[in-house]
Each structure stands twice: as structure tokens, then as C-alpha cells.
Amino acid sequence: MPLQIIRADISRVKADAIVNTANPYVRVGAGVDTAVYERAGREELLAARERIGILQPGEVAYTPAFGLDAAYLFHAVAPIWKDGRHGEADTVRSCYQKSLELAKELRCESLAFPLLAAGSYGFPKEEALGIAVDCIRGFLEREDMLVYLVVFDEQSFRLSGELFDDIEEYIDAHYVKERTAQEYGSSLPAPGFLRSRSAAMPAAQVFCAAPRSLEDAIARLGESFGERLFRMIDERGLTDVAVYKRANLDRKLFSKIRCNPGYRPKKKTALALAIALELNLDDTRDLLARAELALSPGSRSDVIVQYFIERQVYDIYTINMALFAHGEAALGGG
């Protein structure tokens, strides 16, 4: 999928280019910077960095990645947080935008970012996350690239605000209740009650019409997942590009769905497409059913997605941030 949020040590991530929060001067900083230099090869990387010279805040330059599992290492000079009134946000935004454009210029297919300036530089982590996702989203709306946002610890990824305040309560009301029922059983009417109810019903209510023949049932098959999907895309006047971008899908995967009428998507892919089409809950369930899938009240991931659909929030990045924050896999595919 075009944007993946992962929890890892960025010095161990495999990508065409890796972004490092760099010191303006030629020196090794603390924390992640030290880990990057040690894994890349301190002497070689310092020599390459020395040839670049002093960088101003917001600037980005690159060197070979040496011992890292990448071709390039980008050196992005992020700001030290003061009070938010000294252009810190604009400087961080510049780091993301210039890194993305540099990756495009170097024809990178993948790029890995840390949460720039959110560590020892003191930038508020939630604001740093919002800037990162906003910049990456804007770039991916017009370009195809796999972008990793690498988060090292749980403290770096916390969500708040009105939209997220009641997610936990919603999960408790749906997921936890369902899991408790699965664990301990639900309260079912006594068998005698069921028998008495059936006996009191008229025959027409107890028995359905005669079952259809197999041939008749096959002849009445509805649309496949792909048929329903592309009919709805056409009805909404959308383009394929708009849909797979909104769904956080890789272009090659979407092409596979388009070219294979019998394609069976994974649930995370089908749900991402439902989000891209802004389907309500009933239409989402119907689209999933075309691929023999279903929303489960016993799945924490499904409950979180349902939470956003019910509130008509169809931003795939917002949903995926909430899923990641709760330890669940993101929607999309590639």
C-alpha cells in the first residue's frame, strides 16, 4: 500500500531511501542519528556528510546509505522546538516535502521516514504526526511510491481530539460485548419457548417456499465483487486512479482487480475500497458479501472501521492511524 505506518528501528528498515533527522553541522547526534551512523558505517558516512557541508533547517541532502539496507540516506535538518512561533511547523513540512521530491528525482520506489523532529528535538508528537501524514498524503495523491512512516515507540503515536475521544467507548460497547458473549455464551431462549412459539405460528410463517433448484439458484446469482465495485465507481463518476488513491491501494493491485472478474480480495482491500467509495454500512456489508466476506462484531479491526463508517468519516489515513494506534493492520494493499 502507498503509505504504511510501521513500528520499527529505522536503521533496520529496507527501502530505496531512508530519511534521517540530521544535525545542521557535520557531527553525529544522539539517539536515532547514532544508530543510523553506526549501522551505515560511521567513518564512511561522516566523510560523505562532510562533503555536503553545513545545511540549513528545512534543507535535505543525500549520501550513499553504505551499510544500511537502502541505496540513499537523506539528511533532513529538522528544527529544535522552541514554542511553535518560530516557524517550526513550516520547517518540518519543508523536510518532508523536499525529501519526497528528492526521492522522486532519484526514481526511488520506496522511502522511509522517521517522525521528524519528534524525538530529542522536542517537537510535539501529535502535531509532528499530523504534518507527516498531511505531506505524504499530498504527495501520494499525484505520485506512486511506497512510503513508510516509521514509529519507534508507542509514546510516539497517540491520538486525541474530538474524533478519537470515544473510540475506546465504542469498542467497549461493541467488540468487548461480542467477545464476552463468545467466551461465556449468550442468553438464548429456552428450547421449550422456541417450540411453543413455532407451534403457535401459522404454517405459512413456519415454512418457507419450496427451495429453488440448483440450476435456478445459479441462474439468479448476483453481481460479483468486481462487477459491483466497478458499477459503483461508474455511477459515482470516479476514475480508477481516484479510487485506488483514496483506498491506499497499490496501482498494480487495483489493475489486477480490474482485469480479473473473479478476483477475491482480502478483507482489508475490500474495506479500503468501500471507504474510497464512501459507502454506508449496509452497502459496505453488501460489497464484502460479493467476495464472501463479512464485518464481524468479534473483530476489533472491523469494529473500528464500522465506527468511522457510521460517522461518515471516509479518510483512509485517519482510519489507518486509528487502526495502527490500536495494534491493528491498516486498510489497503499492494
Side-chain angles (χ1 to χ4, degrees), residues 176-188:
V176 175
K177 179 180 179 181
E178 175 68 16
R179 296 295 291 178
T180 302
Q182 291 177 357
E183 185 75 20
Y184 299 105
S186 57
S187 300
L188 295 174

PDB file of all heavy atoms in Angstrom, residues 176-188:
ATOM      1  N   VAL A 176     -15.979  -5.655  22.896  1.00  0.00           N
ATOM      2  CA  VAL A 176     -15.852  -6.347  24.169  1.00  0.00           C
ATOM      3  C   VAL A 176     -17.107  -7.141  24.491  1.00  0.00           C
ATOM      4  O   VAL A 176     -17.061  -8.271  24.962  1.00  0.00           O
ATOM      5  CB  VAL A 176     -15.535  -5.336  25.303  1.00  0.00           C
ATOM      6  CG1 VAL A 176     -15.532  -6.032  26.649  1.00  0.00           C
ATOM      7  CG2 VAL A 176     -14.190  -4.662  25.042  1.00  0.00           C
ATOM      8  N   LYS A 177     -18.274  -6.568  24.196  1.00  0.00           N
ATOM      9  CA  LYS A 177     -19.535  -7.264  24.437  1.00  0.00           C
ATOM     10  C   LYS A 177     -19.604  -8.550  23.629  1.00  0.00           C
ATOM     11  O   LYS A 177     -20.005  -9.612  24.131  1.00  0.00           O
ATOM     12  CB  LYS A 177     -20.696  -6.340  24.073  1.00  0.00           C
ATOM     13  CG  LYS A 177     -22.072  -6.961  24.265  1.00  0.00           C
ATOM     14  CD  LYS A 177     -23.152  -5.956  23.880  1.00  0.00           C
ATOM     15  CE  LYS A 177     -24.534  -6.556  24.029  1.00  0.00           C
ATOM     16  NZ  LYS A 177     -25.588  -5.577  23.630  1.00  0.00           N
ATOM     17  N   GLU A 178     -19.181  -8.478  22.363  1.00  0.00           N
ATOM     18  CA  GLU A 178     -19.221  -9.648  21.497  1.00  0.00           C
ATOM     19  C   GLU A 178     -18.234 -10.713  21.967  1.00  0.00           C
ATOM     20  O   GLU A 178     -18.535 -11.892  21.992  1.00  0.00           O
ATOM     21  CB  GLU A 178     -18.902  -9.237  20.052  1.00  0.00           C
ATOM     22  CG  GLU A 178     -18.796 -10.391  19.068  1.00  0.00           C
ATOM     23  CD  GLU A 178     -20.122 -11.079  18.814  1.00  0.00           C
ATOM     24  OE1 GLU A 178     -21.173 -10.503  19.145  1.00  0.00           O
ATOM     25  OE2 GLU A 178     -20.102 -12.225  18.309  1.00  0.00           O
ATOM     26  N   ARG A 179     -17.025 -10.274  22.357  1.00  0.00           N
ATOM     27  CA  ARG A 179     -16.017 -11.229  22.821  1.00  0.00           C
ATOM     28  C   ARG A 179     -16.465 -11.914  24.108  1.00  0.00           C
ATOM     29  O   ARG A 179     -16.217 -13.096  24.302  1.00  0.00           O
ATOM     30  CB  ARG A 179     -14.693 -10.516  23.047  1.00  0.00           C
ATOM     31  CG  ARG A 179     -14.077  -9.926  21.784  1.00  0.00           C
ATOM     32  CD  ARG A 179     -13.684 -10.972  20.778  1.00  0.00           C
ATOM     33  NE  ARG A 179     -12.567 -11.756  21.239  1.00  0.00           N
ATOM     34  CZ  ARG A 179     -12.036 -12.768  20.564  1.00  0.00           C
ATOM     35  NH1 ARG A 179     -12.559 -13.122  19.403  1.00  0.00           N
ATOM     36  NH2 ARG A 179     -11.021 -13.442  21.044  1.00  0.00           N
ATOM     37  N   THR A 180     -17.138 -11.169  24.977  1.00  0.00           N
ATOM     38  CA  THR A 180     -17.651 -11.762  26.209  1.00  0.00           C
ATOM     39  C   THR A 180     -18.699 -12.819  25.897  1.00  0.00           C
ATOM     40  O   THR A 180     -18.718 -13.899  26.496  1.00  0.00           O
ATOM     41  CB  THR A 180     -18.260 -10.670  27.112  1.00  0.00           C
ATOM     42  OG1 THR A 180     -17.253  -9.693  27.396  1.00  0.00           O
ATOM     43  CG2 THR A 180     -18.775 -11.269  28.409  1.00  0.00           C
ATOM     44  N   ALA A 181     -19.569 -12.527  24.929  1.00  0.00           N
ATOM     45  CA  ALA A 181     -20.591 -13.495  24.532  1.00  0.00           C
ATOM     46  C   ALA A 181     -19.951 -14.752  23.955  1.00  0.00           C
ATOM     47  O   ALA A 181     -20.393 -15.875  24.210  1.00  0.00           O
ATOM     48  CB  ALA A 181     -21.532 -12.863  23.514  1.00  0.00           C
ATOM     49  N   GLN A 182     -18.880 -14.591  23.179  1.00  0.00           N
ATOM     50  CA  GLN A 182     -18.194 -15.746  22.606  1.00  0.00           C
ATOM     51  C   GLN A 182     -17.527 -16.586  23.694  1.00  0.00           C
ATOM     52  O   GLN A 182     -17.487 -17.810  23.623  1.00  0.00           O
ATOM     53  CB  GLN A 182     -17.141 -15.292  21.588  1.00  0.00           C
ATOM     54  CG  GLN A 182     -17.729 -14.697  20.318  1.00  0.00           C
ATOM     55  CD  GLN A 182     -16.643 -14.188  19.382  1.00  0.00           C
ATOM     56  OE1 GLN A 182     -15.463 -14.225  19.709  1.00  0.00           O
ATOM     57  NE2 GLN A 182     -17.054 -13.714  18.221  1.00  0.00           N
ATOM     58  N   GLU A 183     -16.998 -15.890  24.709  1.00  0.00           N
ATOM     59  CA  GLU A 183     -16.269 -16.577  25.771  1.00  0.00           C
ATOM     60  C   GLU A 183     -17.204 -17.332  26.712  1.00  0.00           C
ATOM     61  O   GLU A 183     -16.931 -18.454  27.118  1.00  0.00           O
ATOM     62  CB  GLU A 183     -15.453 -15.545  26.561  1.00  0.00           C
ATOM     63  CG  GLU A 183     -14.549 -16.139  27.624  1.00  0.00           C
ATOM     64  CD  GLU A 183     -13.314 -16.797  27.038  1.00  0.00           C
ATOM     65  OE1 GLU A 183     -12.952 -16.472  25.883  1.00  0.00           O
ATOM     66  OE2 GLU A 183     -12.730 -17.638  27.736  1.00  0.00           O
ATOM     67  N   TYR A 184     -18.316 -16.686  27.072  1.00  0.00           N
ATOM     68  CA  TYR A 184     -19.172 -17.254  28.108  1.00  0.00           C
ATOM     69  C   TYR A 184     -20.545 -17.690  27.611  1.00  0.00           C
ATOM     70  O   TYR A 184     -21.346 -18.213  28.378  1.00  0.00           O
ATOM     71  CB  TYR A 184     -19.364 -16.228  29.242  1.00  0.00           C
ATOM     72  CG  TYR A 184     -18.057 -15.857  29.896  1.00  0.00           C
ATOM     73  CD1 TYR A 184     -17.456 -14.636  29.641  1.00  0.00           C
ATOM     74  CD2 TYR A 184     -17.410 -16.748  30.755  1.00  0.00           C
ATOM     75  CE1 TYR A 184     -16.242 -14.290  30.235  1.00  0.00           C
ATOM     76  CE2 TYR A 184     -16.203 -16.413  31.350  1.00  0.00           C
ATOM     77  CZ  TYR A 184     -15.624 -15.193  31.087  1.00  0.00           C
ATOM     78  OH  TYR A 184     -14.427 -14.855  31.666  1.00  0.00           O
ATOM     79  N   GLY A 185     -20.815 -17.447  26.326  1.00  0.00           N
ATOM     80  CA  GLY A 185     -22.113 -17.829  25.782  1.00  0.00           C
ATOM     81  C   GLY A 185     -23.124 -16.731  25.973  1.00  0.00           C
ATOM     82  O   GLY A 185     -23.018 -15.904  26.878  1.00  0.00           O
ATOM     83  N   SER A 186     -24.101 -16.673  25.077  1.00  0.00           N
ATOM     84  CA  SER A 186     -25.137 -15.643  25.177  1.00  0.00           C
ATOM     85  C   SER A 186     -26.391 -16.236  25.763  1.00  0.00           C
ATOM     86  O   SER A 186     -26.571 -17.446  25.811  1.00  0.00           O
ATOM     87  CB  SER A 186     -25.425 -15.066  23.778  1.00  0.00           C
ATOM     88  OG  SER A 186     -25.804 -16.104  22.902  1.00  0.00           O
ATOM     89  N   SER A 187     -27.269 -15.376  26.211  1.00  0.00           N
ATOM     90  CA  SER A 187     -28.526 -15.829  26.796  1.00  0.00           C
ATOM     91  C   SER A 187     -29.516 -16.142  25.690  1.00  0.00           C
ATOM     92  O   SER A 187     -29.983 -15.239  24.990  1.00  0.00           O
ATOM     93  CB  SER A 187     -29.093 -14.741  27.719  1.00  0.00           C
ATOM     94  OG  SER A 187     -28.172 -14.463  28.751  1.00  0.00           O
ATOM     95  N   LEU A 188     -29.819 -17.434  25.512  1.00  0.00           N
ATOM     96  CA  LEU A 188     -30.759 -17.858  24.479  1.00  0.00           C
ATOM     97  C   LEU A 188     -32.078 -18.272  25.118  1.00  0.00           C
ATOM     98  O   LEU A 188     -32.101 -18.764  26.245  1.00  0.00           O
ATOM     99  CB  LEU A 188     -30.185 -19.043  23.704  1.00  0.00           C
ATOM    100  CG  LEU A 188     -28.918 -18.751  22.878  1.00  0.00           C
ATOM    101  CD1 LEU A 188     -28.396 -20.055  22.283  1.00  0.00           C
ATOM    102  CD2 LEU A 188     -29.214 -17.749  21.774  1.00  0.00           C
TER     103      LEU A 188
END
